[in-house]
Amino acid sequence: MCKVFAEQDPQGYRQINRSVRIAGHSTSIQLEATFWKLLDEIAESQNMTTPRFISTLYDEALQAQGEIPNFASMLRTTCALYLRGVQALPERAPANGAALVAEHAA
């Protein structure tokens, strides 16, 4: 059963650092390659670049939650939500911290 997971390509869990600008500050985010590929896909689905999507997500999460204790973990769970089919929340839904993939369709 675990063979598919155990024999996965190590390149998928290779750590990659990317520099992005969030709230006017340049910062570095370290995630596994698979998560970066998913974030690229999510951003494209929102008609955004990946840095723009990350910055927008940060701003919206900060506004909804008041703080973001671990943004890298939030990005990983954003990817998990995306894979589970969570695309967006209704605009007036209460923030719950688990589903902040905002809709930014043009």
Side-chain angles (χ1 to χ4, degrees), residues 6 16 18 24 33 41 45 56 59 63 65 69 73 75-78 86-87 89 98 104:
I16 296 176
R18 286 196 192 175
E41 185 178 314
S45 78
T56 300
D59 291 343
Q63 182 178 18
Q65 303 296 326
S73 290
L75 290 173
R76 288 183 188 92
T77 57
T78 296
V86 177
Q87 297 294 316
L89 286 176
H104 290 283

Side-chain angles (χ1 to χ4, degrees), residues 64-91:
Q65 303 296 326
E67 66 176 339
I68 306 167
N70 188 332
F71 190 58
S73 290
M74 183 184 176
L75 290 173
R76 288 183 188 92
T77 57
T78 296
C79 292
L81 288 167
Y82 175 76
L83 290 174
R84 292 177 85 186
V86 177
Q87 297 294 316
L89 286 176
E91 207 167 296

Side-chain angles (χ1 to χ4, degrees), residues 4-5 7-18 29-43 50 53-54 72 75-83:
V4 167
F5 304 115
E7 294 181 359
Q8 67 181 292
D9 183 357
Q11 289 301 311
Y13 53 86
R14 174 178 55 96
Q15 295 285 313
I16 296 176
N17 284 308
R18 286 196 192 175
I29 299 173
Q30 183 176 15
L31 296 171
E32 293 76 13
T34 298
F35 289 112
W36 282 118
K37 285 177 103 174
L38 282 166
L39 288 169
D40 292 341
E41 185 178 314
I42 295 167
T50 302
F53 172 75
I54 289 171
L75 290 173
R76 288 183 188 92
T77 57
T78 296
C79 292
L81 288 167
Y82 175 76
L83 290 174

Side-chain angles (χ1 to χ4, degrees), residues 18-22 25-29 71:
R18 286 196 192 175
S19 293
V20 294
R21 191 173 259 324
I22 297 176
H25 302 283
S26 186
T27 188
S28 180
I29 299 173
F71 190 58

